[in-house]
Amino acid sequence: MLALPFAPTTTHVHSHPTVFKLGAPAALLATSLWATSLWALSAPSAYSARVYDQNGVSIDLYGKVQAAYVDEYTYEDLSGSSSPEDSLYSSMRLGLGLRSPITTGLDGIALAEWDTSRKANSNGDNEGTLDHTRYMFVGLDAYQYGTLIAGRGDGAYYTVVGATDIFNIMESKASDYFLVGEQRPAQIMYALHGMSWDLKLSYQFDSAHAGDGYMPVDVHQAYGAAVSTKFGENITFAYGLDYTKFDFDGSNDDIARAESFFVPSFIVDGYTPAQAQAKARNEHVGAKVDYGVALSYGVMGQGLYAALVVGATKYDYISHHLYTVDTAVSYTTSDFLAGLTVSAGYGLKSYDEELLISDLTLGISYSFNAAFKLFAEAQFDLDGNAAYFYGQEMVRELKYNEDKFALGAEFNF
């Protein structure tokens, strides 16, 4: 069974929901790119359409359509355009998976996936516009020798932080890793499985617009690594790290905006606003390191699933670490009301004993079959103070410390 790096090996992740068949029926290619992704066995997109299959070359089509009634903050998170009140947001995702045998034990593989982007059009919305590339890579699957791909995909550290990424729409804000974006462009990614151990490595080349515009600092280069292993049938342990080196090239306006991102954190460290501005300008924060561990139990969508992620982030020239704790628990019924899933999660982030983020997320969904489901989710801010470290402007951009909700329907194919 093939899947490609780097989702957790035990969970269906909301931002990586697609699983599609490539080659033999037993060979599943998931967007997580990981050959031992047990969550792939229960993902709803397993009924993708084989649109081409000749001479060993196969092409599969998959996707989803979603519509949700959401609050103004969730609407802006999803669409990138503002809404003064609650509204209905619809979106679509579409992907193609390709596989072709090269020789015995070696296949060529590729994946292209698009969805409705966060870039609003001239009408103030982007519904129906598939202009955001989530995945775009090509590579080689050498089976027991691993999978090597190049293009846009998940960094290796997602293996750790993705363990609690279980909701349909709501996202945990705990890990600082996501400020640089979920799927990363310009990457080389490698995954290897053997002797119950999984190894994932990723390298990112120079890339502008980190974090889809959230973080106003470009990436010069980044390295990621993660290892995971299973204890028995249900318990998975993972450890990983991600190193990101920033780039302060570009126009004067771009550099000034990048420098300003770090001014609030320098003020927290005891500098006056003027000193913080000078320090940010003269001593560019060159890099950050994220590292952490994940412990999970079970498989999402198959009875009880639970996960704990503990991590830390250290920026150059900033005095203390950011510490994060993220939890998730979910239960899917298999007899009475089969298809019902209830989920809960709590995430926190702190800096120098100040609680920046404290979010409780609750969700319930009902799958009528493998394709169609209804869901309801809510996220509650429990008195977090993200502006203490990030400043008011960035907190407004990221929609930190806000209550949110979503009521929706989803069709997977």
Side-chain angles (χ1 to χ4, degrees):
M1 181 177 70
L2 170 67
L4 304 170
F6 298 115
T9 57
T10 57
T11 179
H12 167 72
V13 182
H14 94 272
S15 58
H16 306 259
T18 50
V19 176
F20 47 93
K21 301 173 184 177
L22 293 179
L28 297 179
L29 176 58
T31 59
S32 65
L33 304 183
W34 192 230
T36 56
S37 296
L38 298 183
W39 64 266
L41 300 178
S42 61
S45 300
Y47 296 104
S48 60
R50 176 65 53 82
V51 296
Y52 182 87
D53 192 356
Q54 291 187 21
N55 301 319
V57 178
S58 61
I59 303 176
D60 290 83
L61 177 71
Y62 68 93
K64 72 173 182 179
V65 179
Q66 188 181 83
Y69 178 65
V70 298
D71 65 277
E72 58 184 290
Y73 303 110
T74 302
Y75 185 90
E76 190 166 347
D77 268 344
L78 295 171
S79 69
S81 56
S82 61
S83 175
E85 56 187 22
D86 303 343
S87 186
L88 185 69
Y89 182 76
S90 57
S91 62
M92 182 179 179
R93 181 172 298 168
L94 184 66
L96 288 171
L98 305 92
R99 174 181 292 271
S100 175
I102 297 174
T103 186
T104 302
L106 182 66
D107 291 353
I109 54 175
L111 176 69
E113 182 179 302
W114 306 269
D115 70 357
T116 309
S117 77
R118 296 186 69 256
K119 181 180 179 181
N121 60 28
S122 59
N123 297 320
D125 62 61
N126 61 353
E127 296 184 19
T129 306
L130 290 171
D131 60 354
H132 175 231
T133 301
R134 299 184 74 244
Y135 293 92
M136 184 76 71
F137 58 76
V138 64
L140 298 171
D141 175 23
Y143 295 87
Q144 70 268 29
Y145 299 106
T147 303
L148 178 68
I149 59 174
R152 184 180 182 91
D154 296 311
Y157 189 61
Y158 185 78
T159 302
V160 176
V161 296
T164 53
D165 191 3
I166 67 172
F167 295 95
N168 294 280
I169 284 182
M170 297 300 162
E171 297 180 336
S172 172
K173 304 291 188 179
S175 177
D176 213 67
Y177 169 80
F178 291 115
L179 279 181
V180 190
E182 294 185 60
Q183 292 80 42
R184 309 287 179 85
Q187 286 197 119
I188 294 176
M189 298 155 279
Y190 176 73
L192 176 67
H193 172 72
M195 301 294 291
S196 77
W197 287 86
D198 298 338
L199 168 68
K200 295 119 183 186
L201 303 171
S202 60
Y203 174 78
Q204 183 179 3
F205 295 89
D206 186 90
S207 177
H209 309 301
D212 294 326
Y214 284 143
M215 193 173 189
V217 182
D218 295 342
V219 172
H220 177 62
Q221 58 186 1
Y223 310 86
V227 292
S228 62
T229 189
K230 292 185 68 67
F231 298 94
E233 296 183 358
N234 292 311
I235 298 175
T236 302
F237 173 81
Y239 172 79
L241 59 85
D242 186 81
Y243 171 84
T244 303
K245 185 176 181 181
F246 300 123
D247 188 348
F248 287 85
D249 292 333
S251 69
N252 291 334
D253 288 343
D254 290 340
I255 295 173
R257 188 165 184 261
E259 292 169 350
S260 67
F261 176 80
F262 299 101
V263 170
S265 56
F266 287 143
I267 293 175
V268 169
D269 285 346
Y271 295 91
T272 67
Q275 290 171 333
Q277 289 280 359
K279 186 176 180 65
R281 182 173 59 252
N282 299 325
E283 298 180 4
H284 287 158
V285 175
K288 75 163 182 165
V289 179
D290 299 282
Y291 54 94
V293 297
L295 186 66
S296 61
Y297 175 90
V299 178
M300 182 65 185
Q302 300 181 19
L304 176 65
Y305 175 78
L308 167 68
V309 176
V310 179
T313 300
K314 182 64 173 70
Y315 286 88
D316 287 350
Y317 307 130
I318 295 175
S319 298
H320 306 284
H321 283 71
L322 288 161
Y323 292 105
T324 63
V325 177
D326 204 15
T327 64
V329 61
S330 179
Y331 186 78
T332 302
T333 60
S334 58
D335 39 33
F336 178 70
L337 288 178
L340 177 68
T341 299
V342 291
S343 304
Y346 175 72
L348 68 84
K349 178 188 293 186
S350 65
Y351 181 78
D352 194 24
E353 301 182 354
E354 179 73 17
L355 195 59
L356 307 180
I357 292 174
S358 179
D359 287 340
L360 174 66
T361 307
L362 303 175
I364 184 169
S365 67
Y366 183 75
S367 297
F368 294 87
N369 49 46
F372 187 78
K373 70 177 175 181
L374 301 176
F375 63 87
E377 296 176 353
Q379 190 171 82
F380 304 96
D381 169 52
L382 305 181
D383 295 325
N385 183 22
Y388 177 79
F389 182 82
Y390 296 105
Q392 292 289 351
E393 181 181 353
M394 186 56 58
V395 168
R396 286 193 298 269
E397 178 77 14
L398 293 170
K399 314 301 177 295
Y400 281 167
N401 305 146
E402 302 288 356
D403 295 338
K404 304 173 183 179
F405 74 84
L407 304 171
E410 180 177 299
F411 187 93
N412 290 272
F413 60 91

